[in-house]
Amino acid sequence: MPSDPAMALWREWEMTRESAERHCRWQQRLETKLVESVGFPCVTVRLPNGEDVTVHSIEALNEVLGTDPDMAALREKAEADFAAHQARWDVAAEETGYTAALRAEREAGDRAHDLLEAFSMTPATTLAGVAGKLDAVLREGEAWEECSEFPWPQIRSALSDLVRIGKQTWPERLADEGPKFNRRRPGARLRA
């Protein structure tokens, strides 16, 4: 039986998506350690009215201080303090592997997105291929597991119907070729 290009694409998407998820968890663990040791880059500015304001970017600092020339000295010191904290973050991020983890997560996520886009241009030649396409759409688009808003219940139902019909029609083919569908629940997904 000829291979289904959509199924091949789904398998690659599934592996890439799982890689992106692993990189995300790795990056999050490293980020937690980084926040505990260095803290997110920020600066606290005492405004002329005595109020302390903490900002996490130069853009936010500019919004708080505005362009008033009377704030130039305060703005300059705050920018220098923020830059110093950002530099500490950057050094620690590199040393802990956070920067590499973040880059790997983004690259895997970008690749998974590209593969998802390729589904729209890749014709399925089997029910398993159609099921794989629907699974990818469902898993990428659904806001949360078992979302009850349109069109997610309808897509889950169509996917379940496809897999059920495929198993009834060609049980030997789907056993070897197609994804196995279990009712969606945490940890349940199609498997190639």
Side-chain angles (χ1 to χ4, degrees):
M1 177 176 151
S3 67
D4 183 338
M7 235 7 260
L9 192 60
W10 179 84
R11 285 184 185 103
E12 185 178 354
W13 172 82
E14 172 73 3
M15 289 186 320
T16 303
R17 186 170 190 273
E18 286 178 2
S19 174
E21 289 173 359
R22 278 191 313 277
H23 287 301
C24 179
R25 288 188 300 274
W26 176 40
Q27 175 270 133
Q28 288 171 339
R29 283 191 302 274
L30 292 173
E31 183 178 56
T32 297
K33 291 179 183 179
L34 195 54
V35 169
E36 289 169 355
S37 66
V38 177
F40 281 116
C42 67
V43 64
T44 300
V45 179
R46 176 152 296 187
L47 300 177
N49 67 5
E51 178 185 3
D52 286 340
V53 178
T54 300
V55 295
H56 294 271
S57 69
I58 295 297
E59 293 79 17
L61 178 64
N62 290 333
E63 285 180 27
V64 168
L65 297 180
T67 58
D68 185 350
D70 293 341
M71 302 290 253
L74 181 59
R75 186 180 310 100
E76 187 176 311
K77 177 172 179 356
E79 285 175 355
D81 291 347
F82 181 84
H85 195 172
Q86 181 69 55
R88 288 191 305 277
W89 172 276
D90 292 344
V91 167
E94 196 65 40
E95 289 173 352
T96 61
Y98 172 77
T99 303
L102 187 60
R103 184 174 35 255
E105 177 195 7
R106 284 185 184 148
E107 288 170 359
D110 289 347
R111 178 67 182 140
H113 177 76
D114 291 346
L115 290 166
L116 191 63
E117 291 295 316
F119 275 125
S120 64
M121 297 176 285
T122 305
T125 59
T126 64
L127 288 178
V130 175
K133 289 173 112 174
L134 283 174
D135 174 64
V137 168
L138 183 63
R139 290 171 53 202
E140 284 297 315
E142 191 175 38
W144 64 87
E145 293 275 345
E146 299 296 332
C147 177
S148 61
E149 295 177 10
F150 178 83
W152 308 117
Q154 293 78 10
I155 292 174
R156 282 193 302 274
S157 176
L159 179 55
S160 180
D161 291 345
L162 272 174
V163 172
R164 180 180 40 75
I165 292 167
K167 285 179 179 178
Q168 290 169 351
T169 309
W170 299 289
E172 69 285 347
R173 284 188 189 167
L174 282 182
D176 297 332
E177 161 200 341
K180 282 55 169 183
F181 178 74
N182 296 318
R183 182 83 176 123
R184 283 180 60 87
R185 63 188 183 282
R189 60 176 67 146
L190 289 173
R191 285 289 176 203

